[in-house]
Amino acid sequence: MAAETLKRAEALAPDRLERVLGWAALVLLAAALAAIVRGHAGWGSVPFAIWLHLATVIIALTLTPVILWQKRGTRLHRRLGTIWAGAMFISALDSFWILETNHGHFSVIHLLSAFVAVQTPRLVLTARRHDHVAHRRTVRGLVIGGLLTAGALTFPFHRLLGRWLFG
């Protein structure tokens, strides 16, 4: 009984990868906010779809370390996780209306958006089934692929955040 309780506590505690992912989310959040502030002169020409996308990504980036570093299974974890999943899902769907970079066509990043749109409902289902292993794997995939990789790909010089940050 005590060994089982200890094993469950270890399974729900943040590990090294989750701590690193939380810090990476904070670094990306700082870069995104710096780019937005630096790009204030161009705010008026930014379409609504991009503003919605930025807002939902900022919510997800802000919540990522909070959720990954706190105790799992609590009411707060579930509520913040629901907000995080909603932000990720809206961000993924909204991205399909962002076509400025690739001459009006989808880009490689849209493959990550499709991944997020498919995996976010899976994330919710695994949480509701209390399938901790699948839930943790899905969270890591969404953070690494849908948030950090896609986010990093928005900073090359020809993309909006890259132009604003590196101007």
Side-chain angles (χ1 to χ4, degrees):
M1 177 86 163
E4 188 176 305
T5 303
L6 181 60
K7 187 176 179 181
R8 185 177 189 282
E10 288 173 359
L12 298 179
D15 62 12
R16 183 178 311 191
L17 175 60
E18 290 161 346
R19 287 191 293 274
V20 168
L21 292 176
W23 283 109
L26 289 176
V27 168
L28 190 59
L29 174 63
L33 292 174
I36 291 167
V37 168
R38 287 196 51 155
H40 65 86
W43 288 358
S45 64
V46 176
F48 174 76
I50 293 176
W51 282 119
L52 177 61
H53 192 71
L54 287 170
T56 55
V57 167
I58 287 170
I59 290 168
L61 285 170
T62 302
L63 291 178
T64 295
V66 175
I67 294 169
L68 289 179
W69 296 344
Q70 73 172 343
K71 183 178 177 182
R72 282 44 181 309
T74 65
R75 179 178 290 156
L76 179 63
H77 180 83
R78 289 189 297 273
R79 286 184 179 164
L80 293 178
T82 300
I83 295 167
W84 187 88
M88 291 291 289
F89 191 71
I90 292 168
S91 180
L93 294 181
D94 174 64
S95 73
F96 293 111
W97 279 266
I98 301 173
L99 304 171
E100 284 80 9
T101 303
N102 204 25
H103 308 292
H105 297 93
F106 292 128
S107 68
V108 175
I109 294 179
H110 288 97
L111 292 174
L112 293 171
S113 297
F115 168 77
V116 172
V118 169
Q119 290 298 310
T120 305
R122 182 177 188 271
L123 174 77
V124 174
L125 291 174
T126 59
R128 289 190 177 163
R129 286 190 306 230
H130 301 282
D131 184 348
H132 302 122
V133 173
H135 183 71
R136 188 176 233 173
R137 189 177 323 123
T138 305
V139 166
R140 289 174 174 185
L142 285 167
V143 171
I144 292 168
L147 196 58
L148 299 177
T149 301
L153 291 173
T154 64
F155 284 97
F157 297 103
H158 68 285
R159 300 185 64 89
L160 179 67
L161 291 183
R163 286 194 317 267
W164 281 357
L165 186 60
F166 304 115

